């Protein structure tokens, strides 16, 4: 009924919190939004997502990827509801800072538009209390009505753009899928540990 209600009000974009309503102070995900400067070529955004995934794997964290329906990608890390907003935001900033220190000519952890020229902003700010991110399968209020779509990691390619899926073709994609690319998302049990924090030199 709520979804029908927002459709009746003409809502095009659905953005959700990183927590569920029964435990609003305990987030169940961490999102890192790879937001490239317009000068950054798409293959470098894909490479950036894989580099971020590798870093998370080194920390023993499983991540998932989805298009944003815009120009970037969301890397999403499901979490057990064991952390505060501040803990998740602090950790996500440390991940972004680590990428920036490791490859400063490629990544930026500062939202300054001026400093972003030719780089990918690793937006960790969506992990703060009250911050939101576009929901999976939400339409975007952009030309062509693109849709934010969950992907399998091996689907990322130079041919697959972040705004490729739209209200016109997302149904075809769902019909072709043999299995949900995020099938294990809700069964993935993991948390931020002291060892992870220490390895990022927090």
């Amino acid at each position: 009924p709520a979804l029908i209600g927002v459709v009746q009000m003409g809502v095009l974009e659905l953005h959700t919190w990183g927590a569920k309503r029964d435990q609003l102070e305990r987030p169940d995900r961490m999102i890192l939004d790879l937001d490239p400067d317009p000068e950054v070529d798409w293959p470098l955004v894909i490479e950036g997502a894989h580099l971020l995934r590798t870093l998370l794997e080194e920390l023993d964290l499983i991540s998932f990827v989805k298009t944003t329906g815009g120009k970037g990608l969301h890397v999403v890390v499901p979490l057990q509801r064991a952390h505060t907003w501040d803990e998740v935001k602090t950790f996500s900033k440390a991940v972004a800072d680590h990428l920036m220190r490791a490859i400063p000519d490629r990544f930026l952890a500062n939202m300054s538009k001026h400093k972003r020229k030719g780089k990918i902003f690793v937006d960790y700010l969506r992990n703060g209390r009250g911050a939101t991110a576009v929901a999976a399968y939400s339409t975007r209020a952009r030309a062509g009505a693109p849709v934010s779509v969950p992907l399998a990691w091996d689907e990322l390619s130079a041919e697959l753009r972040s705004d490729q899926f739209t209200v016109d073709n997302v149904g075809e994609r769902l019909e072709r899928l043999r299995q949900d690319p995020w099938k294990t998302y809700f069964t993935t049990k993991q948390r931020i540990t002291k060892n992870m924090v220490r390895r990022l030199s927090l």
Side-chain angles (χ1 to χ4, degrees):
L3 285 173
I4 292 172
V6 296
V7 170
Q8 289 174 329
M9 289 186 285
V11 174
L12 292 176
E13 298 196 8
L14 298 176
H15 293 249
T16 57
W17 268 40
K20 294 184 175 67
R21 64 180 180 177
D22 62 328
Q23 289 191 48
L24 288 177
E25 303 306 325
R26 296 289 174 175
D28 64 356
R29 73 180 185 199
M30 178 178 75
I31 289 186
L32 292 160
D33 178 5
L34 298 182
D35 186 6
D37 178 76
E39 294 183 7
V40 177
D41 292 333
W42 177 244
L44 291 179
V45 180
I46 294 172
E47 184 179 348
H50 282 296
L51 288 170
L52 174 54
R53 180 195 188 194
T54 299
L55 170 59
L56 293 168
E57 286 178 339
E58 289 293 320
L59 295 169
D60 297 320
L61 288 171
I62 296 169
S63 61
F64 298 79
V65 66
K66 70 181 179 72
T67 66
T68 62
K71 59 187 182 192
L73 293 167
H74 281 174
V75 175
V76 187
V77 179
L79 294 171
Q80 292 177 283
R81 297 191 285 181
H83 313 287
T84 66
W85 287 105
D86 286 344
E87 287 170 340
V88 174
K89 184 178 179 182
T90 298
F91 184 77
S92 65
K93 182 180 187 305
V95 172
D97 286 342
H98 183 88
L99 276 176
M100 182 178 67
R101 287 195 305 269
I103 316 178
D105 61 337
R106 182 81 63 87
F107 295 106
L108 182 72
N110 186 307
M111 68 185 301
S112 168
K113 292 280 188 181
H114 174 70
K115 295 180 180 179
R116 197 181 307 184
K117 189 177 176 78
K119 298 182 180 182
I120 300 170
F121 171 40
V122 185
D123 185 356
Y124 64 89
L125 298 171
R126 299 179 187 278
N127 298 296
R129 188 183 189 279
T132 63
V134 67
Y137 296 111
S138 171
T139 51
R140 303 303 306 269
R142 300 169 183 260
V147 177
S148 175
V149 173
L151 302 173
W153 277 104
D154 61 9
E155 289 185 282
L156 287 182
S157 70
E159 291 73 36
L160 191 153
R161 308 292 297 192
S162 189
D163 59 358
Q164 176 172 326
F165 298 109
T166 70
V167 291
D168 288 327
N169 62 22
V170 71
E172 296 173 13
R173 168 177 169 75
L174 293 175
E175 289 175 2
R176 290 196 309 268
L177 281 179
R178 294 186 177 180
Q179 70 174 18
D180 181 355
W182 282 23
K183 181 179 179 181
T184 60
Y185 181 90
F186 290 108
T187 57
T188 299
K189 306 299 181 186
Q190 56 191 5
R191 63 177 65 196
I192 298 167
T193 66
K194 291 180 180 179
N195 183 49
M196 294 174 192
V197 172
R198 184 166 53 250
R199 290 172 68 184
L200 286 172
S201 301
L202 284 179

